[in-house]
Amino acid sequence: MKFRRSERLVDMTNYLLEHPGRLVSLTYFAERYSSAKSSISEDLTIIKETFESRGIGTLKTVPGAAGGVRFIVSIQRDEALSFIDEMCGIISSPERLLPGGYLYMTDILGQPEIVNKVGRIIAAAYADKKVDLIMTMATKGIPLAYAVANHLNVPVVIVRRDNKVTEGSTVSINYVSGSSKRIQTMVLSKRSLAEGSNVLIVDDFMKAGGTVNGMVSLLEEFHATVAGIAVLVESENTEERLIEQYLSLIKLSDVDEKDKKINVSRGNYFTKTS
Amino acid sequence: MKFRRSERLVDMTNYLLEHPGRLVSLTYFAERYSSAKSSISEDLTIIKETFESRGIGTLKTVPGAAGGVRFIVSIQRDEALSFIDEMCGIISSPERLLPGGYLYMTDILGQPEIVNKVGRIIAAAYADKKVDLIMTMATKGIPLAYAVANHLNVPVVIVRRDNKVTEGSTVSINYVSGSSKRIQTMVLSKRSLAEGSNVLIVDDFMKAGGTVNGMVSLLEEFHATVAGIAVLVESENTEERLIEQYLSLIKLSDVDEKDKKINVSRGNYFTKTS
């Protein structure tokens, strides 16, 4: 059965979006649609141009016999900016302020469209870097970590506070929470991380950075490398921050629990990635 | 700026896939591409036919002034079958067997492509039912719950075992774990569930069904309705199961911890949905 160009364009778009970061050979598409490679090549040019002009991403071509195309996610600066400004507006509601300077974000992190957009914005910043996997801390960071992983097509490992029977043998470390100064434990399954992996740490919220710092220490235990640190919200702290190099989409400052006042602004994403 | 059909097809496909379940008006697309509604209509026919012939899903048209199209996810029986059979093969490795008859699945649930496919298979079974939100239990069920939610475009609520400060006020219930017979607690934020919601419960693993049963009781507390129960793996138990109506993709039976033997087969998905 032969396919018309219009059908190929629809199906190829779906296929490429479903397999971000993966190298797909022209032969694969040629066989899938019983079409000549030259037609497939023209299709891919159309898709690439549309992806680029609409800010969806791009197609990177790898030449040669083992070559093909790879979909790389991106986001237009304007789209990211207006989304983050909208999020700042949602988050700045004083009722969201919880004891301890935390923020109620459960409803926001429960919306797949929002989580996916955040994931795409973070993924776009690391799309051309070597990321082997995403690490996060249970439980709040998990949806964001998967949203980033979806766009980069790499696995997720989840660090836990407790030792679950279903994890098999584990490595655990103690760390000091930056804000509460308490000693806490984090646990990671031994099988989940290969030595030398490049790991992108993703979390929903960062105050002093104790949890993120703990994950960095844990990576050292596994002889793995930090490819980057990205958080949705950072809370500006009067005390010294434990982590220096990170990306944030939103920043809280002047958190006044007593008067229920917070100041919400754009994080460092646009200054760090532009 | 006018768009050619080929560009419209690529961008519309991306847009529809990014907003499953959402009604998109023809006017929206007509303005987005500065094109006549008749052209948009033809584009949508091509997309619908391709989506259907490739088993991606379908477009449902809502007529009238407030009408438009809605992308509904689906999966071809053959694609789902071969994926589940492949999963059965991966899962049946004896090293996966953990103490207590549990199964090591952390690596599998860390792969975005696998998690997405499972999510699509479950979502396809509920795509024509009224589902307002997805409920799961922290932490293992979270990635699957979001994968299903992505395809149905509905929010996720996460039930926890502990009371976190960042949740605000909560409702908690005690329940008896079906396999360990221990009394446990589950907690849900008060703000997270509206009365009368239709809730699809999603989890990774079900033994006797105590946890799922607890979630059903919790839904009663919130005066919400169970739209369905879907699990990736069910473990056939000699004891009575607490839950009768559910969908499973994979079934474990004859779990012999001592001899490290398990029997893995297809779950009830294909008998229940066909």
Side-chain angles (χ1 to χ4, degrees):
Chain A
M1 179 188 171
K2 246 179 125 35
F3 286 81
R4 284 179 299 149
R5 160 144 299 153
S6 54
E7 294 169 87
R8 290 200 309 263
L9 287 174
V10 171
D11 189 60
M12 282 166 99
T13 299
N14 175 61
Y15 189 90
L16 291 163
L17 292 172
E18 263 203 339
H19 302 90
R22 185 191 280 193
L23 189 67
V24 188
S25 70
L26 261 60
T27 312
Y28 175 80
F29 282 132
E31 285 171 5
R32 187 175 171 103
Y33 310 116
S34 318
S35 303
K37 279 198 195 174
S38 56
S39 310
I40 299 296
S41 232
E42 287 165 27
D43 297 343
L44 289 169
T45 304
I46 295 169
I47 294 174
K48 180 180 156 79
E49 284 171 4
T50 311
F51 277 9
E52 289 178 355
S53 70
R54 307 296 304 194
I56 298 166
T58 189
L59 299 185
K60 290 222 166 124
T61 306
V62 178
V69 287
R70 202 192 293 274
F71 166 56
I72 308 289
V73 71
S74 75
I75 192 155
Q76 278 173 334
R77 193 181 158 85
D78 282 356
E79 187 184 349
L81 272 175
S82 73
F83 172 78
I84 288 175
D85 288 347
E86 198 188 321
M87 290 289 293
C88 287
I90 296 171
I91 280 177
S92 62
S93 153
E95 300 105 66
R96 294 196 171 271
L97 209 51
L98 293 170
Y102 288 95
L103 210 62
Y104 181 78
M105 297 201 297
T106 306
D107 56 338
I108 298 168
L109 295 175
Q111 306 287 339
E113 284 197 12
I114 291 179
V115 171
N116 280 337
K117 184 73 80 98
V118 173
R120 195 170 138 220
I121 294 174
I122 293 174
Y126 296 95
D128 58 353
K129 296 187 176 62
K130 191 166 159 33
V131 174
D132 298 316
L133 51 86
I134 311 291
M135 174 181 267
T136 193
M137 185 86 188
T139 33
K140 288 275 203 294
I142 299 176
L144 285 182
Y146 274 83
V148 177
N150 275 337
H151 290 290
L152 297 178
N153 205 9
V154 296
V156 177
V157 296
I158 300 169
V159 181
R160 307 176 60 103
R161 288 181 208 279
D162 58 338
N163 213 326
K164 274 273 281 191
V165 61
T166 49
E167 292 288 337
S169 57
T170 56
V171 173
S172 72
I173 62 154
N174 295 317
Y175 70 102
V176 180
S177 154
S179 34
S180 70
K181 304 277 184 220
R182 277 186 308 156
I183 291 181
Q184 306 200 34
T185 306
M186 55 172 73
V187 180
L188 184 62
S189 168
K190 257 190 183 171
R191 321 190 200 185
S192 57
L193 197 61
E195 274 197 20
S197 302
N198 289 294
V199 181
L200 173 59
I201 294 172
V202 173
D203 215 346
D204 61 321
F205 196 82
M206 181 170 78
K207 282 182 81 177
T211 306
V212 169
N213 211 25
M215 285 192 264
V216 172
S217 306
L218 196 56
L219 287 179
E220 284 167 13
E221 287 294 320
F222 280 87
H223 303 287
T225 311
V226 181
I229 294 162
V231 298
L232 172 58
V233 178
E234 64 163 309
S235 179
E236 209 176 50
N237 219 284
T238 44
E239 312 211 13
E240 212 178 330
R241 194 179 288 290
L242 299 167
I243 292 289
E244 287 301 326
Q245 291 293 322
Y246 63 91
L247 219 57
S248 70
L249 271 54
I250 296 167
K251 186 162 82 179
L252 305 188
S253 48
D254 313 321
V255 178
D256 186 335
E257 277 187 67
K258 223 175 54 192
D259 291 344
K260 288 248 173 203
K261 269 170 50 181
I262 35 174
N263 188 358
V264 182
S265 58
R266 291 174 190 166
N268 67 14
Y269 184 88
F270 295 100
T271 50
K272 294 263 180 179
T273 59
S274 63
Chain B
M1 179 190 173
K2 244 176 124 39
F3 286 82
R4 285 178 299 149
R5 159 143 301 152
S6 53
E7 294 169 86
R8 290 199 309 262
L9 287 173
V10 170
D11 190 60
M12 282 167 98
T13 299
N14 175 61
Y15 189 89
L16 290 163
L17 292 171
E18 262 202 341
H19 301 89
R22 185 190 281 192
L23 189 67
V24 189
S25 70
L26 262 61
T27 312
Y28 175 80
F29 281 133
E31 284 170 5
R32 187 174 171 101
Y33 308 118
S34 319
S35 303
K37 279 197 194 175
S38 56
S39 309
I40 299 296
S41 233
E42 288 165 26
D43 297 342
L44 290 169
T45 303
I46 295 169
I47 294 174
K48 180 181 157 81
E49 284 171 3
T50 311
F51 277 8
E52 289 178 355
S53 70
R54 307 297 305 195
I56 298 165
T58 188
L59 299 184
K60 290 223 166 125
T61 307
V62 178
V69 288
R70 202 192 294 275
F71 166 56
I72 309 289
V73 72
S74 76
I75 191 156
Q76 279 174 333
R77 192 181 158 83
D78 283 355
E79 188 184 349
L81 272 175
S82 73
F83 173 77
I84 288 175
D85 288 347
E86 198 188 321
M87 290 289 292
C88 287
I90 295 171
I91 280 177
S92 62
S93 154
E95 301 103 67
R96 292 196 172 271
L97 209 52
L98 294 169
Y102 288 95
L103 210 62
Y104 181 79
M105 297 201 295
T106 306
D107 56 337
I108 299 169
L109 295 175
Q111 305 287 339
E113 284 198 11
I114 292 180
V115 171
N116 280 337
K117 184 71 82 96
V118 173
R120 194 171 139 218
I121 294 174
I122 293 174
Y126 296 95
D128 58 354
K129 297 187 175 61
K130 191 167 161 30
V131 173
D132 299 317
L133 52 87
I134 311 290
M135 173 181 268
T136 193
M137 184 88 187
T139 27
K140 288 274 202 297
I142 299 175
L144 285 182
Y146 274 83
V148 177
N150 274 338
H151 290 290
L152 297 178
N153 205 8
V154 295
V156 177
V157 297
I158 299 169
V159 181
R160 307 177 59 105
R161 289 181 207 279
D162 58 336
N163 213 327
K164 275 273 279 193
V165 63
T166 49
E167 291 290 336
S169 58
T170 56
V171 173
S172 72
I173 62 154
N174 294 317
Y175 71 103
V176 180
S177 153
S179 35
S180 69
K181 305 278 185 220
R182 277 186 308 157
I183 292 181
Q184 306 200 34
T185 307
M186 52 172 73
V187 181
L188 184 62
S189 167
K190 257 191 184 170
R191 321 190 199 185
S192 58
L193 197 61
E195 274 197 20
S197 302
N198 290 294
V199 180
L200 173 59
I201 295 172
V202 173
D203 214 347
D204 61 321
F205 196 81
M206 181 169 78
K207 281 182 82 175
T211 306
V212 169
N213 212 25
M215 284 192 265
V216 172
S217 307
L218 196 56
L219 287 179
E220 285 166 14
E221 288 295 320
F222 279 86
H223 302 288
T225 310
V226 181
I229 296 162
V231 298
L232 173 57
V233 179
E234 65 163 310
S235 179
E236 209 176 49
N237 221 283
T238 44
E239 312 209 13
E240 214 179 329
R241 195 180 287 291
L242 300 166
I243 291 289
E244 287 301 326
Q245 291 293 323
Y246 63 91
L247 219 57
S248 70
L249 271 53
I250 296 168
K251 185 161 81 177
L252 305 188
S253 49
D254 313 321
V255 179
D256 186 334
E257 276 187 67
K258 223 175 56 191
D259 290 346
K260 288 249 173 202
K261 269 169 52 181
I262 36 174
N263 189 356
V264 181
S265 57
R266 289 174 191 166
N268 67 14
Y269 183 88
F270 296 99
T271 51
K272 295 261 180 180
T273 58
S274 63

